[in-house]
Amino acid sequence: MERTLVELIILTSIIHLVDTLAYSVRLNSVKSGQVALSFSLFNLIALVSRTANTLQAPLIAGIIGISISHGLNPIMDMRKVIFAATIGTLLGVLLIPSFLKVFEKAVNRLEVTGSVPSLVVEALQINNIKRIVKSVTKPSKTMLERLRYREIPKRLLILNALVTGIYTIGVLSASYAATLVSVEHRLAVVASSGMINGIAAILLTLLIDPKAAMITDQALRGKRPYGDVKALVVLLITSKVVGTLLGQVLFLPAARLIASFYL
């Protein structure tokens, strides 16, 4: 079980690292004006995260199954996985300057190659891998200076933290709830994880994405300064970190709430 837990922790960290880097794509699209190319390339990166996400549920189910069969309480293992989400998000924050540098070059190359698979093959060449490593850049305080944080709606940040918290613990809480119900209800409880993540996705689509997209679009049209998009990205990432920490608080109450429908 220890090996499965380590794999799950690494996988969860990667998922949240990529999700965090996603926020910075807005910066590149506004700065370069290559919106379509930026998001086309990002879709490839997001695909890696989503594919990894599909592997998360079986690993969680494996840990829960072993724990039930041995009469163990896997709550600490689940909390370690939630903590991995926080670590992955913080790693993403540290890597954003380097990611933006590489991403900008990748977008320019995509315009030349005209094909994402060709770009991937080119990026995997030894010389290009060395260039990518040399592009590593440390975050600097200047990135955070003189940003108009007051121009970003606080409600947007609170919602983003809440949605991140739900997204972080959705599968974990539903899986853990299986330890709180009788045998005949365990499969139904675990299956409810899709509904929880679906609610988080709906909230994200209806309440967060449109407002963030509006601020980005206004910056592209010159109605807002580029600094507003930087402030938006910084604050959304900060609220994402808060959301993963909030997941620790929501985890057990959510599991008990899910289990209560089957008791």
Side-chain angles (χ1 to χ4, degrees):
M1 189 170 79
E2 286 299 322
R3 180 180 176 182
T4 303
L5 178 60
V6 171
E7 291 174 348
L8 180 58
I9 286 172
I10 293 172
L11 190 62
T12 302
S13 297
I14 292 172
I15 291 170
H16 284 268
L17 187 154
V18 174
D19 283 346
T20 302
L21 294 176
Y23 289 95
S24 65
V25 173
R26 297 181 190 277
L27 294 175
N28 183 80
S29 63
V30 173
K31 191 174 181 180
S32 66
Q34 297 171 302
V35 180
L37 280 174
S38 294
F39 281 96
S40 175
L41 182 55
F42 172 72
N43 285 337
L44 173 66
I45 301 170
L47 180 62
V48 175
S49 174
R50 289 165 188 162
T51 302
N53 202 21
T54 62
L55 300 175
Q56 191 183 35
L59 292 174
I60 296 171
I63 292 172
I64 296 295
I66 293 172
S67 297
I68 290 174
S69 63
H70 288 80
L72 302 173
N73 187 345
I75 187 167
M76 290 310 298
D77 290 339
M78 298 297 100
R79 292 201 181 279
K80 288 176 184 177
V81 176
I82 298 172
F83 184 64
T86 304
I87 294 300
T89 302
L90 292 174
L91 284 174
V93 172
L94 294 175
L95 289 174
I96 280 177
S98 303
F99 173 75
L100 282 174
K101 203 171 181 180
V102 173
F103 191 82
E104 184 179 0
K105 293 178 181 177
V107 170
N108 291 333
R109 286 300 303 165
L110 179 60
E111 192 170 14
V112 175
T113 61
S115 167
V116 171
S118 298
L119 180 64
V120 172
V121 172
E122 188 176 302
L124 293 175
Q125 294 176 5
I126 299 299
N127 290 336
N128 288 327
I129 291 175
K130 289 180 180 178
R131 291 193 187 98
I132 291 172
V133 172
K134 289 180 180 179
S135 296
V136 173
T137 306
K138 293 181 181 179
S140 62
K141 291 182 180 180
T142 55
M143 294 180 63
L144 306 177
E145 293 176 349
R146 299 177 182 177
L147 297 181
R148 305 195 312 168
Y149 295 113
R150 292 183 180 180
E151 299 299 318
I152 308 303
K154 303 303 180 289
R155 182 183 176 186
L156 177 69
L157 305 177
I158 293 170
L159 285 170
N160 192 56
L162 179 60
V163 171
T164 299
I166 296 171
Y167 174 74
T168 300
I169 57 94
V171 178
L172 292 166
S173 290
S175 298
Y176 183 76
T179 67
L180 306 176
V181 300
S182 55
V183 177
E184 63 268 22
H185 296 306
R186 283 173 183 167
L187 287 176
V189 166
V190 173
S192 65
S193 64
M195 180 179 66
I196 297 169
N197 282 352
I199 292 172
I202 291 170
L203 290 173
L204 180 69
T205 303
L206 294 180
L207 304 176
I208 299 173
D209 278 351
K211 187 63 179 178
M214 184 183 73
I215 293 172
T216 305
D217 187 58
Q218 287 174 344
L220 277 167
R221 289 185 282 124
K223 291 187 176 182
R224 278 179 177 263
Y226 173 67
D228 279 12
V229 182
K230 287 182 69 175
L232 171 68
V233 170
V234 169
L235 291 176
L236 283 177
I237 290 173
T238 301
S239 66
K240 177 173 168 55
V241 174
V242 172
T244 61
L245 295 173
L246 182 62
Q248 296 283 4
V249 179
L250 295 176
F251 167 67
L252 194 54
R256 287 172 176 166
L257 178 63
I258 295 167
S260 68
F261 289 103
Y262 299 91
L263 294 177

